[in-house]
Amino acid sequence: MSGAGLRLQIGARTIATIPRRIVRVGLSLDAALANARPALPALGTGDDGYLVTSVPDALALDWRGVVFERQRYTRYYVDLAAGEAAWRGALSGQTRSTLKRKAKKLAAASGGRLDVRRFRTAANLADFHPIARALAEKTYQERLMGAGLPGDAAAVATMIERAARDAVRAWLLYVGEAPAAYLWCGADGDTLRYDYVGHDPAFAALSPGSVLMEAALVDLFDDRFARFDFTEGEGQHKRLMSTGGIDCRDLLLLRPTLANRGAVALVRGFDAALAVAKRAAALPALQQVAKRVRRA
């Protein structure tokens, strides 16, 4: 799949995009754990290069062109085959206490019990999708990144077809009669991926995402999957709830053209300036200035 360009980002927000045709090649968790070399498809005439994601730190890629590291992170996962007791035992005492407290608080707001609804068949997914899609439209994933549950007809048909092959697991969490959070996961062999997630901001104080994640994992310990893949990128909840992880990086591999070198130099300069700004903002004197500005 060819992307639209190189993004200049502050957190999840895209400030500008440098037009480039980039072919995205993502390694699966199994491939990353096996230190497998990615298979790069032939570039089209108008393609500028590849974005290869989840490249293990231990794997060197040979590329005669521009190589640029976009980001570095740990790809976290849960070993489902080890069982629920082993998973809970690997959590810190504070994390176990926090999960218990959050579940109890949400249950109290929902009539004394957790209302988690599970979906896996094609018929189930047809019921799940419109409710989850309405939730997705309210989330920051949708507003800032366009990464909410897809709503177009082709995507819905694909989801239902995958469910018919036993390759989907999905959940909805309700508070009272209102849907509060959703989770949609697609299977990659015997690994289940953390693909689409979100919650209604109106229920944020009840931590519905964390409560639903715990309930989903409990279900999965009795399912057919060997691992739950938190996929690419960092996140506190991923780190706290995982049992393992592999250090990875995302690499841009571009044709050695002057335009591509210039684009990478611009992105590198933007990222460096942003890092300097973040360090400066952390200085106590500037923090005090920021507080005075906010009070003004």
Side-chain angles (χ1 to χ4, degrees):
M1 180 182 296
S2 296
L6 305 183
R7 296 178 179 178
L8 304 181
Q9 292 180 295
I10 298 178
R13 189 178 298 277
T14 298
I15 304 302
T17 301
I18 304 171
R20 282 295 177 276
R21 286 184 58 83
I22 307 296
V23 178
R24 183 184 176 95
V25 178
L27 272 72
S28 68
L29 176 61
D30 287 354
L33 290 172
N35 212 36
R37 191 169 300 278
L40 302 179
L43 291 175
T45 303
D47 292 330
D48 292 292
Y50 307 94
L51 172 63
V52 188
T53 63
S54 288
V55 180
D57 279 0
L59 179 64
L61 298 184
D62 296 325
W63 177 253
R64 295 183 179 180
V66 181
V67 180
F68 178 50
E69 184 180 292
R70 274 299 331 203
Q71 64 173 335
R72 184 175 289 270
Y73 50 89
T74 300
R75 185 161 179 171
Y76 292 104
Y77 61 89
V78 175
D79 180 3
L80 297 172
E84 182 181 353
W87 171 67
R88 290 197 184 277
L91 301 177
S92 70
Q94 181 178 358
T95 298
R96 289 195 298 270
S97 176
T98 298
L99 289 174
K100 184 177 181 179
R101 174 178 52 80
K102 288 180 176 180
K104 184 176 180 180
K105 181 179 179 181
L106 193 144
S110 190
R113 67 181 184 90
L114 293 180
D115 185 359
V116 178
R117 307 180 190 184
R118 296 149 178 91
F119 306 82
R120 61 187 291 177
T121 68
N124 287 160
L125 264 292
D127 295 332
F128 165 88
H129 187 270
I131 299 170
R133 179 58 199 158
L135 275 174
E137 291 174 349
K138 303 176 182 180
T139 65
Y140 77 89
Q141 290 95 338
E142 175 84 7
R143 290 184 288 103
L144 297 183
M145 298 177 287
L149 186 76
D152 59 282
V156 174
T158 298
M159 289 179 176
I160 293 175
E161 185 273 330
R162 293 192 66 188
R165 294 188 283 108
D166 192 37
V168 171
R169 298 292 185 271
W171 295 263
L172 286 171
L173 173 66
Y174 280 71
V175 175
E177 296 300 316
Y182 78 92
L183 175 61
W184 190 98
C185 302
D188 184 7
D190 62 356
T191 295
L192 194 69
R193 291 190 316 272
Y194 181 68
D195 283 333
Y196 300 106
V197 61
H199 67 267
D200 186 336
F203 296 103
L206 296 174
S207 305
S210 296
V211 174
L212 181 56
M213 185 72 257
E214 180 186 12
L217 284 174
V218 170
D219 287 347
L220 292 174
F221 287 113
D222 291 325
D223 211 318
R224 68 176 180 85
F225 301 101
R227 281 181 293 272
F228 182 81
D229 176 14
F230 278 113
T231 69
E232 299 151 357
E234 296 281 357
Q236 184 181 33
H237 66 292
K238 297 181 180 184
R239 184 175 67 255
L240 293 177
M241 301 184 79
S242 67
T243 59
I246 178 170
D247 292 331
C248 295
R249 67 231 195 261
D250 292 350
L251 297 177
L252 274 169
L253 309 178
L254 302 178
R255 297 183 193 268
T257 66
L258 186 61
N260 285 341
R261 294 184 190 278
V264 166
L266 179 58
V267 174
R268 183 180 284 117
F270 177 84
D271 289 347
L274 188 61
V276 170
K278 286 181 178 178
R279 288 196 296 270
L283 294 174
L286 290 181
Q287 289 178 346
Q288 292 302 318
V289 170
K291 289 179 181 178
R292 287 197 293 270
V293 169
R294 286 195 293 268
R295 287 196 298 263

